[in-house]
Amino acid sequence: MTQLFPRTPKLSGTDVEACRSELLDYFHATFDRYESLFEILVGDDAYLRKPISLRHPLIFYFGHTATFFINKLLLAGLITERLDPRLESMFAVGVDEMSWDDLDDTRYDWPGVAEVRAYRSKVRAVVDGVIRTHPLSLPIGWKDPFWAILMGIEHERIHLETSSVLMRQHGLEYVRPHPAWTPCRQSGPAPDNALVDIPAGRVRLGRNLDDPIYGWDNEYGRHEADVPAFRAARHLVSNGEFLAFVEAGGYADDSLWDEEGLGWKRYARAEHPTFWIADGQGWKLRLITEEVTMPWNWPVETNCLEARAFCRWKARETGLPVRLPTEDEWHRLYDHVGLGDVPPDIPAGANLHLDHWASSCPVDTFAHGELFDVVGNVWQWCETPTYPFDGFEVHPIYDDFTTPTFDDRHNLIKGGSWISTGNESRHASRYAFRRHFFQHAGFRYIVSDAPVVNPASAYETDALLSQYAEFHYGDGAFGVPNFPKTLAEIAIDAQRQYGNGRFARALDLGCATGRASFELARAFEEVIGIDFSARFIQAGARLAETGVLRYTLPDEGELVSYHERRLDALGLAATAQRVAFWQGDACNLKDVFTGFDLILAANLIDRLYSPRRFLNDVAHRLTPGGLLVLASPYTWLEEHTRREEWIGGFKKDGESWTTLDGLKALLGASFDLVLGPQAVPFVIRETRRKHQHTLSELTIWRLRG
Amino acid sequence: MTQLFPRTPKLSGTDVEACRSELLDYFHATFDRYESLFEILVGDDAYLRKPISLRHPLIFYFGHTATFFINKLLLAGLITERLDPRLESMFAVGVDEMSWDDLDDTRYDWPGVAEVRAYRSKVRAVVDGVIRTHPLSLPIGWKDPFWAILMGIEHERIHLETSSVLMRQHGLEYVRPHPAWTPCRQSGPAPDNALVDIPAGRVRLGRNLDDPIYGWDNEYGRHEADVPAFRAARHLVSNGEFLAFVEAGGYADDSLWDEEGLGWKRYARAEHPTFWIADGQGWKLRLITEEVTMPWNWPVETNCLEARAFCRWKARETGLPVRLPTEDEWHRLYDHVGLGDVPPDIPAGANLHLDHWASSCPVDTFAHGELFDVVGNVWQWCETPTYPFDGFEVHPIYDDFTTPTFDDRHNLIKGGSWISTGNESRHASRYAFRRHFFQHAGFRYIVSDAPVVNPASAYETDALLSQYAEFHYGDGAFGVPNFPKTLAEIAIDAQRQYGNGRFARALDLGCATGRASFELARAFEEVIGIDFSARFIQAGARLAETGVLRYTLPDEGELVSYHERRLDALGLAATAQRVAFWQGDACNLKDVFTGFDLILAANLIDRLYSPRRFLNDVAHRLTPGGLLVLASPYTWLEEHTRREEWIGGFKKDGESWTTLDGLKALLGASFDLVLGPQAVPFVIRETRRKHQHTLSELTIWRLRG
């Protein structure tokens, strides 16, 4: 073996110059290796013709990784000037996340290869200069400007892999063999696969921010799970094992495919794995620079949809619950066989990190305990769409690396392939692709009765819902205390002081996203939250169930920020089991909602179509001596409440008739006003800079009797 | 003479029981006298038939003054319960301010006369009890609950007069003579009128709140004026003098009438004064209970439109500048002849306060210096539409007594009539009616070259304009300092510290209602305020011209509050002459707007259709080294700025591109950023409780060169 391709460096220690030197080496080796990959291409056309219609031509990727350095170094403040605004605009945005049914027809006037090569040299010099000269202190943390250097290098390593996939999809006339990119020459019949018992166990995923190794934002946070026992295939599915599915008519049998798979299969007219080539009577396999006689004992490469279809077929054939593993199950395999990450100075015990070949190898080459290829050879599709760990935070200078994939349409791949290096090779990394995409990726099936439960991934982006989520659970502004929390506290105090002293049941009417419901449940044994909006109560219910709520907020124009709120962080974890959310109409509430010791209606009455109907109806829902807690800014608007339904805020018989007058008139027969009116302020954030700042008038009424 | 009808009492002193007793007397005498007036009516039909289509029938007015007591006593907290909610709803709102072209067709199911009489008795007992027993301390000020008692009594005295006018317009079959309402029997030929010289002089109008006599809100505040010398008719215009106008075809000659007068004349088909009755060859005059042979030496009674037409005719006949007096000129007459208010215990030296007759009397009966009837006999129409004095405040429990008349359509009447009593009889009182309305009102003409200048009366009610007026000149909220003032102060400091140090000219672009323009003019010799909205700059220009701005603000629902803001109170009186306001488009500014040492653009750029055009154009409008002061919350909205015109707030080439990035890119070639970015907060009030609370990002840029 020649020298090992450098591993992603430790960013801690005390020797700054040694770290600088290692970074320099890591950078140049990566930049070199990337350029060496492009030496495979034959002639300018190879750069300019698209290998597949879904992606840019390779000239883009040749320039893109260099421009990415410039962009991130600018954002980190490591440099202050662009090198070439024209090229850098052209090379800024890829099309990696494009759907197969959403083609990009933009025409680009790409520069020549020599021009891009010259541009890359200038970028190399700039990055080299920054690494050599910019003040550096250890450890390099996630907020350190040097993090951007690592970000650029690891980003280029990702493109080293994805560009190699594109080259594999290019016409053979555009590529040539290259001594630095020699494939494995070992091949033979596929070994028989077998199922290995994996005992139950707990997995702990997620890294701490002080971990001294570079990581992408989605690797940080916490996730723990108990994984029930299951059985796992000893080997990755080989071309030979997959052939049985092809020959059994798996691609033609629609019953084996889910809806998404059927859509893709029709579009792609797929009849076999994409790198397979039907050659007369036999099959060949396309590698990067050549086609070879089918190596039946190499891992098959498929997208996630094909892998799932195979599992369904296998399940039908065997009568076993065959499926892809979840991310947790993959980690259970990893833990079970006792693997570790690639060692720094000896070759990996896996077909990983370019330590062995520029291709896959037989699936029985690298044993990991009772299994083979737990890491390396090809990536392994999981059933799990990628999702944020608890405590996830977006990295400020790369806020669209991860967040666009939190859409339940990007599935995780684990383990890395023969060309996965640096961060990619690490078991903590979490890459995800659209399920129809191809990488150097295959799969291992497992047999398990445990249902697949996918953690919630999506950030709420509905503007109003996010606004309310922030209003209820967010940071607040202008030093104004959290409004639903304050109201709940006042209500609980009042129940002790003025109410009937019972804390059995409370109703939070117009609960929106539910903060006051949880807060009331600190004192009440049972709290019902009711809102007219099903979306709002779903947010509350999701929070009660999962303990977490994620949403984006508008910052400025189209720019957004990402937020995660947790019941436990608010000291409300224990309240969740005492809260239930229902959809309902405060003006026409079901009879079952009765027997409450306290009813809170916050910012509700001026949004009802008939506040009178609500106020006339509310007394019989309270226990004797129970409290009705009202708070409202009395912002009467025709769009919510027709003028004739307003209970105040107008001249009545010539005199000013306030909403408080209306409340007294409507409630006076059954209630005594025991507290208020007093103003309780609240703030609702509209953008990073713009807020509504309002005073809600609080009154507390005790039911007589 | 029988006992004098009691005068409006002094509300100061030390003897509480004496005051209570005087109030009791004042109340019962008024209540009695009002009921005695209604004894004129014959039969229930007299109560239920409308005398004129523009008003309710008299049954309403019979009940109304009683209900008014209940309403105001409730608002003042002197009582807590209604007496009869049904009657009190029916009797609450009159139709006094109705336009002649806007008839009220509501049908009412009026109660019987006996029922209303019984209701009045109950009200009398309640008010009597309050006066006798409610804690009372002296003096009784405008905020004292007892003020509501006075309000009720004076209100009934107004209706004593206006009801007598309605009876005068009723069918003769509905009225009968009454010993308490005996008219004057003296009549004869009209005296020749003559002009009396009135020397120039200063008048001071407006009362202080500590004046120990009840007044309506519009009497308080300050107004001073220098009145040039003029000549005034010795007598009020008599029926005899007016006959010449009628016989000259004055009613048929449209050239003598203004547009409003023509409209009324066509509607009313008026051919002579409304109380004149053409009787074969001669004329009779309708009094309250009878028609009499025309008393030619009594004052003619007209509306304001007829009076003005007479003056135009008189001017044409004489070649003199004949017109009605202004309110100031009427006060000059009053001061000149050295009159005082009605004495407490001897009859008035005027046909006033019911001290003499239940009708007018000859215009040469009561001499006041060289003039006659400066007060009393009939009210005298003025040219002046009623308006608020400086410092005017609305009385909180009667906010629609005055404010609806601040519309330039209600003209002041001065001096009182034979039935004007209590507050009505006082020279400080300020009653105003629509110009087509009839009261016991006539006029005195004057001869003056001085143009009539009517003070601004209207309250701005446009929601957005009022919102900005309050934003610029109002009280603020949440302790946030005034925004345009703060910006101007920062700008002035920056001009000293970073700018070229010149303070010759500043531009306030997007000035809205102009506060920052005035504030900049504390330091700059000349400030131009430019806004796209002509309405906004009119508000600023009006403030510069008159020093005052009045507007209403939404409080809750339809309820509003009234606000007056003054340049002098803000210490800005001296700046007004250095400020000029222009309408203009910041994206397409006229070339003349150049040579500025400082340009402020506050909350502007995110409201422009092309901020780029403004920013590219702004440099050449500054003097070398001049400052551009930008502040904006960057609230980009398609409704103001099409997406492609935003200068930031989006992803550009894959990276977040903030508005500040956009500003740097657009301004960097010509400007240096010398201050900021820093956040400057502002608050815009939407209702009494709801506000926008926003952080505007301030940056200051110095033009190079």
Side-chain angles (χ1 to χ4, degrees):
Chain A
M1 288 296 302
T2 54
Q3 199 191 343
L4 291 173
F5 192 42
R7 281 50 171 147
T8 191
K10 276 226 163 60
L11 303 173
S12 55
T14 53
D15 188 343
V16 168
E17 289 317 308
C19 180
R20 210 187 275 281
S21 165
E22 186 176 2
L23 280 181
L24 214 51
D25 185 42
Y26 194 51
F27 164 65
H28 284 292
T30 305
F31 221 71
D32 287 344
R33 192 66 173 243
Y34 195 65
E35 291 180 354
S36 123
L37 178 68
F38 280 77
E39 290 167 14
I40 284 172
L41 296 176
V42 181
D44 284 7
D45 253 21
Y47 284 85
L48 297 171
R49 288 283 179 102
K50 288 181 173 188
I52 58 171
S53 59
L54 300 176
R55 299 282 190 108
H56 282 317
L58 283 154
I59 189 75
F60 168 82
Y61 295 97
F62 195 41
H64 172 63
T65 57
T67 287
F68 184 92
F69 273 105
I70 297 303
N71 286 343
K72 297 309 175 194
L73 266 54
L74 276 168
L75 286 172
L78 291 170
I79 59 174
T80 57
E81 297 285 335
R82 295 207 160 277
L83 295 195
D84 188 326
R86 183 182 62 92
L87 289 186
E88 284 160 6
S89 174
M90 210 176 294
F91 290 146
V93 185
V95 286
D96 301 46
E97 294 308 325
M98 189 174 300
S99 167
W100 51 264
D101 48 6
D102 174 24
L103 297 180
D104 178 18
D105 283 331
T106 315
R107 294 279 163 265
Y108 294 86
D109 185 18
W110 298 110
V113 177
E115 187 182 352
V116 179
R117 201 169 282 131
Y119 169 71
R120 285 187 60 90
S121 293
K122 287 199 287 178
V123 171
R124 184 194 286 259
V126 165
V127 178
D128 179 277
V130 169
I131 298 174
R132 283 180 197 280
T133 62
H134 199 276
L136 169 62
S137 63
L138 296 180
I140 299 171
W142 137 300
K143 288 182 175 172
D144 196 297
F146 262 83
W147 198 257
I149 302 279
L150 273 301
M151 191 175 271
I153 301 171
E154 296 296 348
H155 173 263
E156 189 156 52
R157 288 189 174 221
I158 294 173
H159 279 284
L160 182 70
E161 170 147 5
T162 57
S163 295
S164 79
V165 176
L166 286 176
M167 289 178 189
R168 207 173 161 193
Q169 293 170 307
H170 222 352
L172 267 184
E173 68 275 25
Y174 295 128
V175 292
R176 62 182 158 204
H178 188 292
W181 301 96
T182 311
C184 174
R185 297 299 178 193
Q186 301 158 22
S187 83
D192 281 343
N193 216 339
L195 292 170
V196 175
D197 282 318
I198 310 294
R202 186 161 183 82
V203 291
R204 289 172 183 83
L205 283 62
R207 300 170 55 191
N208 290 328
L209 278 174
D210 56 8
D211 193 347
I213 300 275
Y214 179 85
W216 300 103
D217 52 8
N218 61 358
E219 301 168 20
Y220 296 93
R222 297 162 307 284
H223 171 77
E224 297 197 16
D226 288 314
V227 179
F230 62 98
R231 287 183 287 168
R234 181 181 308 277
H235 301 291
L236 298 182
V237 174
S238 63
N239 288 313
E241 187 169 9
F242 198 80
L243 178 67
F245 169 74
V246 176
E247 290 186 338
Y251 277 86
D253 184 349
D254 285 356
S255 72
L256 297 172
W257 300 76
D258 55 28
E259 196 177 350
E260 184 184 359
L262 288 172
W264 167 77
K265 191 161 65 84
R266 273 186 217 113
Y267 164 77
R269 296 183 185 153
E271 296 178 347
H272 55 73
T274 192
F275 296 115
W276 286 21
I277 297 151
D279 175 34
Q281 298 308 79
W283 294 95
K284 294 184 127 184
L285 183 68
R286 170 63 193 264
L287 308 183
I288 294 182
T289 62
E290 59 190 294
E291 291 173 5
V292 297
T293 305
M294 180 60 72
W296 295 113
N297 58 349
W298 288 17
V300 70
E301 286 149 311
T302 67
N303 64 22
C304 183
L305 304 169
E306 292 168 296
R308 283 175 167 176
F310 175 91
C311 289
R312 284 195 195 88
W313 172 79
K314 192 82 181 175
R316 196 166 73 186
E317 294 294 301
T318 59
L320 296 171
V322 177
R323 59 168 171 79
L324 296 176
T326 63
E327 185 186 35
D328 291 344
E329 286 160 342
W330 182 86
H331 276 273
R332 184 75 197 99
L333 293 182
Y334 186 89
D335 292 348
H336 177 61
V337 301
L339 267 181
D341 282 314
V342 172
D345 41 17
I346 56 165
N351 188 11
L352 189 61
H353 214 282
L354 288 173
D355 280 0
H356 304 282
W357 301 284
S359 75
S360 302
C361 69
V363 295
D364 50 6
T365 310
F366 291 100
H368 300 134
E370 297 171 82
L371 304 173
F372 288 80
D373 294 333
V374 171
V375 299
N377 221 356
V378 293
W379 291 95
Q380 302 163 45
W381 284 105
C382 291
E383 262 305 328
T384 312
T386 189
Y387 68 95
F389 288 150
D390 296 341
F392 168 74
E393 277 181 76
V394 173
H395 196 280
I397 68 165
Y398 200 177
D399 66 3
D400 55 354
F401 179 77
T402 293
T403 50
T405 69
F406 290 154
D407 61 357
D408 291 329
R409 301 165 79 191
H410 288 74
N411 274 37
L412 286 156
I413 53 175
K414 303 298 291 187
S417 79
W418 54 270
I419 194 174
S420 299
T421 72
N423 172 274
E424 281 188 296
S425 76
R426 295 183 67 83
H427 81 282
S429 75
R430 302 182 78 222
Y431 294 88
F433 284 93
R434 289 290 302 276
R435 289 184 281 267
H436 62 274
F437 245 56
F438 291 102
Q439 290 294 307
H440 306 301
F443 63 101
R444 175 192 319 271
Y445 55 85
I446 68 162
V447 172
S448 173
D449 284 317
V452 171
V453 178
N454 293 329
S457 71
Y459 273 68
E460 181 57 56
T461 56
D462 174 276
L464 190 65
L465 190 45
S466 298
Q467 197 174 75
Y468 268 79
E470 176 71 7
F471 173 29
H472 279 194
Y473 302 99
D475 295 325
F478 309 127
V480 173
N482 182 283
F483 180 70
K485 182 169 192 283
T486 301
L487 289 184
E489 286 166 358
I490 294 173
I492 289 167
D493 281 354
Q495 180 70 355
R496 290 210 178 89
Q497 201 173 343
Y498 308 109
N500 57 24
R502 297 184 61 217
F503 285 89
R505 280 187 101 204
L507 173 63
D508 179 12
L509 202 48
C511 63
T513 51
R515 176 66 181 270
S517 302
F518 292 110
E519 294 288 342
L520 286 172
R522 291 182 192 268
F524 285 86
E525 291 161 37
E526 179 190 5
V527 179
I528 309 280
I530 295 182
D531 203 274
F532 196 74
S533 160
R535 287 183 309 145
F536 275 11
I537 59 152
Q538 275 160 18
R542 196 161 64 229
L543 195 53
E545 187 191 323
T546 68
V548 65
L549 199 58
R550 295 187 184 90
Y551 51 88
T552 62
L553 290 177
D555 262 12
E556 177 186 318
E558 295 169 353
L559 300 176
V560 301
S561 53
Y562 296 84
H563 302 268
E564 176 191 279
R565 305 299 175 187
R566 309 182 55 77
L567 279 188
D568 54 8
L570 300 168
L572 292 168
T575 67
Q577 67 198 34
R578 296 200 287 278
V579 174
F581 292 100
W582 297 85
Q583 196 274 338
D585 173 0
C587 306
N588 191 22
L589 218 49
K590 292 204 177 80
D591 288 337
V592 67
F593 296 117
T594 189
F596 295 102
D597 303 313
L598 181 141
I599 297 177
L600 168 65
N603 292 359
L604 177 72
I605 61 167
D606 57 0
R607 291 297 172 269
L608 297 179
Y609 61 86
S610 180
R612 197 179 317 269
R613 210 184 290 180
F614 158 63
L615 292 163
N616 285 336
D617 164 83
V618 72
H620 84 266
R621 301 183 184 278
L622 281 165
T623 54
L627 295 187
L628 173 63
V629 180
L630 298 178
S632 168
Y634 310 144
T635 312
W636 298 105
L637 294 170
E638 282 268 15
E639 61 187 286
H640 300 297
T641 318
R642 280 181 310 138
R643 169 64 180 80
E644 58 266 36
E645 293 285 348
W646 298 6
I647 64 167
F650 46 77
K651 291 273 177 182
K652 184 178 174 186
D653 293 338
E655 304 299 340
S656 292
W657 181 260
T658 66
T659 307
L660 185 59
D661 292 329
L663 288 174
K664 286 175 178 169
L666 287 164
L667 297 175
S670 309
F671 288 89
D672 295 313
L673 178 59
V674 294
L675 193 76
Q678 70 186 56
V680 181
F682 66 88
V683 173
I684 294 181
R685 172 195 154 127
E686 294 183 358
T687 72
R688 184 150 73 87
R689 298 189 181 85
K690 186 166 189 290
H691 305 74
Q692 300 167 29
H693 192 159
T694 308
L695 302 172
S696 197
E697 186 166 282
L698 173 81
T699 50
I700 302 188
W701 309 77
R702 181 178 49 217
L703 184 65
R704 281 196 285 271
Chain B
M1 288 296 304
T2 52
Q3 200 192 342
L4 291 173
F5 192 43
R7 280 52 169 145
T8 191
K10 275 227 165 54
L11 304 173
S12 54
T14 53
D15 188 342
V16 169
E17 290 318 306
C19 180
R20 212 188 273 282
S21 165
E22 185 177 3
L23 279 181
L24 214 51
D25 185 40
Y26 193 52
F27 164 65
H28 285 291
T30 305
F31 222 70
D32 286 345
R33 193 66 174 244
Y34 195 66
E35 291 180 354
S36 122
L37 178 69
F38 281 78
E39 290 167 14
I40 284 172
L41 296 178
V42 181
D44 285 5
D45 253 18
Y47 283 87
L48 296 171
R49 289 281 177 107
K50 288 182 173 187
I52 58 170
S53 60
L54 300 177
R55 299 282 190 110
H56 283 316
L58 283 153
I59 189 75
F60 167 83
Y61 295 99
F62 194 41
H64 171 63
T65 57
T67 287
F68 184 92
F69 273 107
I70 297 304
N71 286 343
K72 297 309 176 194
L73 267 53
L74 276 169
L75 286 173
L78 290 170
I79 59 174
T80 56
E81 298 284 337
R82 296 207 158 279
L83 295 194
D84 188 326
R86 184 182 62 93
L87 288 186
E88 284 159 6
S89 173
M90 212 177 292
F91 290 146
V93 184
V95 287
D96 300 46
E97 293 308 325
M98 190 174 299
S99 166
W100 51 264
D101 47 7
D102 174 24
L103 297 178
D104 179 18
D105 283 332
T106 315
R107 295 278 164 264
Y108 295 85
D109 185 19
W110 298 111
V113 177
E115 186 181 353
V116 180
R117 202 169 280 131
Y119 169 70
R120 285 187 60 90
S121 294
K122 287 199 286 178
V123 172
R124 184 194 287 259
V126 165
V127 178
D128 179 278
V130 168
I131 298 174
R132 284 180 199 279
T133 62
H134 199 276
L136 170 61
S137 63
L138 296 180
I140 299 171
W142 139 299
K143 289 183 176 171
D144 196 298
F146 262 81
W147 198 256
I149 301 279
L150 274 301
M151 190 174 272
I153 300 171
E154 296 297 349
H155 173 263
E156 188 157 55
R157 288 190 172 220
I158 294 172
H159 278 284
L160 182 70
E161 170 146 7
T162 56
S163 295
S164 79
V165 176
L166 286 176
M167 290 178 188
R168 209 175 160 191
Q169 293 170 308
H170 222 352
L172 268 182
E173 68 275 27
Y174 295 129
V175 293
R176 62 182 159 205
H178 187 291
W181 299 98
T182 312
C184 174
R185 296 297 178 195
Q186 300 157 22
S187 81
D192 282 343
N193 215 339
L195 292 170
V196 176
D197 282 317
I198 309 295
R202 186 161 185 83
V203 292
R204 288 174 185 80
L205 284 61
R207 302 170 54 190
N208 290 329
L209 278 175
D210 56 7
D211 194 347
I213 300 275
Y214 179 84
W216 299 104
D217 52 7
N218 61 358
E219 301 168 22
Y220 296 94
R222 299 161 307 282
H223 171 76
E224 297 197 15
D226 288 315
V227 178
F230 62 98
R231 288 183 288 167
R234 182 181 307 276
H235 301 290
L236 298 182
V237 174
S238 63
N239 289 313
E241 187 170 10
F242 198 81
L243 179 67
F245 168 75
V246 174
E247 291 187 337
Y251 277 85
D253 184 350
D254 286 355
S255 72
L256 296 172
W257 299 75
D258 55 29
E259 196 177 351
E260 184 184 358
L262 287 172
W264 167 76
K265 189 159 66 83
R266 273 187 217 111
Y267 163 76
R269 295 181 185 156
E271 295 177 349
H272 54 74
T274 194
F275 297 114
W276 286 21
I277 296 150
D279 175 35
Q281 300 306 82
W283 294 97
K284 296 185 129 184
L285 183 68
R286 170 63 193 263
L287 308 183
I288 293 181
T289 61
E290 58 189 295
E291 291 173 3
V292 298
T293 306
M294 179 61 70
W296 295 112
N297 58 350
W298 287 18
V300 70
E301 287 149 310
T302 67
N303 65 22
C304 183
L305 303 169
E306 292 168 296
R308 282 174 167 175
F310 175 91
C311 289
R312 283 194 197 89
W313 171 78
K314 193 82 179 172
R316 197 165 71 186
E317 294 294 301
T318 59
L320 295 172
V322 176
R323 60 167 170 80
L324 297 175
T326 64
E327 184 186 35
D328 291 345
E329 286 161 343
W330 181 86
H331 276 271
R332 185 73 197 100
L333 294 182
Y334 186 89
D335 292 349
H336 177 62
V337 301
L339 267 179
D341 282 314
V342 172
D345 41 17
I346 56 166
N351 187 10
L352 191 60
H353 214 286
L354 289 173
D355 280 359
H356 303 281
W357 301 282
S359 75
S360 302
C361 69
V363 296
D364 49 6
T365 310
F366 292 99
H368 302 135
E370 298 171 81
L371 304 174
F372 288 80
D373 293 333
V374 171
V375 299
N377 221 354
V378 294
W379 290 95
Q380 303 163 42
W381 283 105
C382 291
E383 261 306 329
T384 312
T386 189
Y387 68 96
F389 289 150
D390 297 340
F392 167 75
E393 277 181 79
V394 173
H395 196 280
I397 68 165
Y398 200 178
D399 66 2
D400 55 353
F401 178 76
T402 293
T403 51
T405 68
F406 290 154
D407 62 356
D408 291 329
R409 302 165 81 191
H410 288 73
N411 273 38
L412 286 155
I413 54 176
K414 302 299 291 187
S417 79
W418 54 270
I419 194 174
S420 299
T421 72
N423 171 276
E424 280 189 299
S425 76
R426 296 183 67 82
H427 79 282
S429 76
R430 302 181 79 222
Y431 295 87
F433 283 93
R434 288 289 302 275
R435 288 183 284 266
H436 63 272
F437 245 57
F438 291 103
Q439 290 296 306
H440 307 302
F443 63 102
R444 177 193 317 274
Y445 55 85
I446 69 162
V447 172
S448 172
D449 284 318
V452 171
V453 178
N454 293 328
S457 70
Y459 273 68
E460 182 57 55
T461 56
D462 174 275
L464 190 65
L465 191 45
S466 299
Q467 197 174 75
Y468 268 79
E470 176 72 5
F471 173 29
H472 279 194
Y473 302 100
D475 295 326
F478 309 126
V480 173
N482 182 281
F483 179 70
K485 182 170 192 283
T486 301
L487 288 184
E489 286 167 357
I490 294 174
I492 290 166
D493 281 353
Q495 180 69 356
R496 290 210 179 89
Q497 202 174 342
Y498 307 110
N500 57 24
R502 298 183 62 215
F503 285 89
R505 283 186 99 204
L507 173 63
D508 179 12
L509 202 48
C511 63
T513 52
R515 175 66 181 270
S517 303
F518 292 110
E519 294 288 343
L520 287 172
R522 291 182 192 268
F524 285 85
E525 290 160 36
E526 179 190 5
V527 180
I528 309 280
I530 295 182
D531 203 275
F532 196 75
S533 160
R535 286 183 309 146
F536 275 11
I537 60 154
Q538 275 160 18
R542 194 160 65 231
L543 194 53
E545 187 191 323
T546 67
V548 65
L549 199 59
R550 296 187 183 91
Y551 50 89
T552 62
L553 289 177
D555 263 10
E556 179 186 317
E558 294 168 353
L559 300 176
V560 301
S561 53
Y562 296 84
H563 302 269
E564 176 190 278
R565 305 298 175 187
R566 309 183 53 78
L567 279 188
D568 54 7
L570 300 168
L572 291 169
T575 66
Q577 65 197 36
R578 297 199 286 277
V579 174
F581 292 101
W582 296 86
Q583 196 273 337
D585 173 0
C587 306
N588 192 21
L589 217 49
K590 291 204 179 77
D591 288 338
V592 68
F593 296 117
T594 187
F596 296 102
D597 304 312
L598 181 141
I599 297 178
L600 168 65
N603 291 0
L604 177 72
I605 61 167
D606 57 0
R607 291 298 171 269
L608 297 179
Y609 60 85
S610 179
R612 199 179 313 271
R613 212 185 287 181
F614 158 63
L615 292 163
N616 286 335
D617 164 83
V618 72
H620 84 269
R621 301 183 183 278
L622 282 165
T623 54
L627 295 187
L628 172 63
V629 181
L630 297 177
S632 168
Y634 310 145
T635 313
W636 298 106
L637 294 170
E638 282 269 14
E639 61 187 287
H640 300 297
T641 317
R642 280 182 307 140
R643 169 65 181 77
E644 58 267 35
E645 293 286 347
W646 298 6
I647 64 167
F650 46 77
K651 291 272 178 182
K652 184 178 174 187
D653 293 338
E655 305 298 340
S656 292
W657 182 259
T658 66
T659 307
L660 185 59
D661 292 329
L663 289 174
K664 286 175 178 169
L666 287 164
L667 297 175
S670 310
F671 289 89
D672 295 314
L673 178 59
V674 295
L675 194 78
Q678 69 187 57
V680 181
F682 65 88
V683 173
I684 295 181
R685 173 194 152 127
E686 295 184 359
T687 72
R688 183 150 72 89
R689 298 188 182 86
K690 186 166 188 288
H691 304 75
Q692 300 168 28
H693 192 160
T694 308
L695 302 172
S696 197
E697 186 167 282
L698 174 81
T699 51
I700 303 189
W701 309 77
R702 180 177 51 215
L703 183 65
R704 281 196 285 272

